[in-house]
Amino acid sequence: MAKKTYDLLFKLLLIGDSGVGKTCILFRFSDDAFSTTFISTIGIDFKIKTVELKGKKIKLQIWDTAGQERFHTITTSYYRGAMGIMLVYDITNEKTFENIVKWLRNIDEHANEDVEKMILGNKSDMEDKRVVSTEKGEAIAREHGIRFMETSAKANINIDRAFSELAEAILEKIQGKEPQDAPDRVTVDRRVERSSNRLQGVDCKCYFMRT
């Protein structure tokens, strides 16, 4: 039997409307790559990356879901067992932000009750086209008692940090510790991180499940 190369396995989920940049976020984190030619995800894709946090090797299994309504019944089945969920909207598209409430309802209906959540306002490099203010993102996160961060897959802003903080929150929870940012006292950190040495992938694979 092959020796296990990690201590813990965390299943993470990226959800949000089509076109908000979920696939770009995933590829930036897993491969440190960015492309403007990604086609919309069909059904489900996932990547695996192993990171080291607090002395533990943690394998992150990150699922990238289709945002189109026609794939809704396919993707909701993947909510079950998710330990962390990132809800992504596009700061240049008001509708994708408004639909965060819908995605939160989907989590309530389909995910585990204790799943860790984080809202990401993506495409923060496109400041000249911004229509959703940072304050709006902060407000909805505070209202629902979850974490919030603005990111850019293109400029590599806060990508590693987002995955790191979500993974740390899960780790603290399963270790029986109180999370640093407990839901009833959410704080919004506006620091921008363009790169991170905290996460070092030692195993990165890509699997495609197309319909």
Side-chain angles (χ1 to χ4, degrees):
M1 181 181 294
K3 182 181 178 182
K4 192 167 74 168
T5 58
Y6 59 93
D7 300 306
L8 298 164
L9 173 66
F10 292 172
K11 177 183 174 183
L12 308 181
L13 202 60
L14 285 161
I15 64 174
D17 286 8
S18 181
V20 297
K22 300 184 297 297
T23 301
C24 291
I25 288 171
L26 177 57
F27 272 77
R28 173 61 78 182
F29 176 64
S30 63
D31 298 349
D32 193 21
F34 178 81
S35 172
T36 58
T37 59
F38 283 127
I39 60 171
S40 293
T41 301
I42 301 173
I44 295 283
D45 287 346
F46 79 85
K47 276 184 170 281
I48 291 174
K49 183 170 181 175
T50 302
V51 303
E52 194 160 328
L53 290 174
K54 299 186 177 181
K56 299 280 188 184
K57 281 189 176 179
I58 301 171
K59 182 173 282 190
L60 303 179
Q61 185 185 76
I62 310 160
W63 294 83
D64 174 22
T65 65
Q68 300 98 322
E69 191 65 34
R70 68 182 184 276
F71 296 116
H72 180 75
T73 55
I74 299 173
T75 58
T76 51
S77 64
Y78 287 88
Y79 284 60
R80 291 190 293 274
M83 302 169 77
I85 297 179
M86 290 177 165
L87 302 95
V88 186
Y89 69 89
D90 174 356
I91 69 161
T92 72
N93 186 325
E94 182 80 30
K95 185 65 176 176
T96 67
F97 174 74
E98 293 171 355
N99 283 340
I100 287 294
V101 175
K102 178 194 75 174
W103 292 108
L104 283 165
R105 282 199 302 268
N106 285 347
I107 292 174
D108 290 341
E109 290 174 12
H110 302 289
N112 298 337
E113 188 176 347
D114 62 346
V115 66
E116 289 289 336
K117 300 182 285 289
M118 176 182 283
I119 295 174
L120 299 182
N122 195 39
K123 305 188 184 180
S124 63
D125 60 288
M126 300 175 68
E127 192 62 38
D128 57 328
K129 297 182 179 178
R130 176 191 288 272
V131 295
V132 181
S133 68
T134 302
E135 290 72 22
K136 277 189 175 182
E138 293 172 349
I140 194 170
R142 193 173 294 110
E143 178 185 349
H144 293 276
I146 57 182
R147 293 165 181 78
F148 168 77
M149 203 176 294
E150 288 194 338
T151 58
S152 168
K154 182 177 182 179
N156 196 14
I157 297 172
N158 284 338
I159 300 298
D160 281 0
R161 184 171 157 237
F163 283 96
S164 174
E165 291 194 7
L166 188 60
E168 283 186 16
I170 297 168
L171 181 61
E172 288 171 352
K173 177 174 284 186
I174 66 173
Q175 289 179 335
K177 298 177 182 177
E178 182 177 314
Q180 188 173 356
D181 291 320
D184 61 347
R185 48 187 173 85
V186 127
T187 58
V188 179
D189 192 336
R190 297 196 187 197
R191 289 174 302 162
V192 168
E193 176 194 278
R194 289 185 179 268
S195 63
S196 172
N197 293 323
R198 297 168 66 193
L199 301 180
Q200 299 180 358
V202 297
D203 178 24
C204 184
K205 300 174 183 176
C206 182
Y207 298 81
F208 296 97
M209 299 171 61
R210 299 292 190 181
T211 57

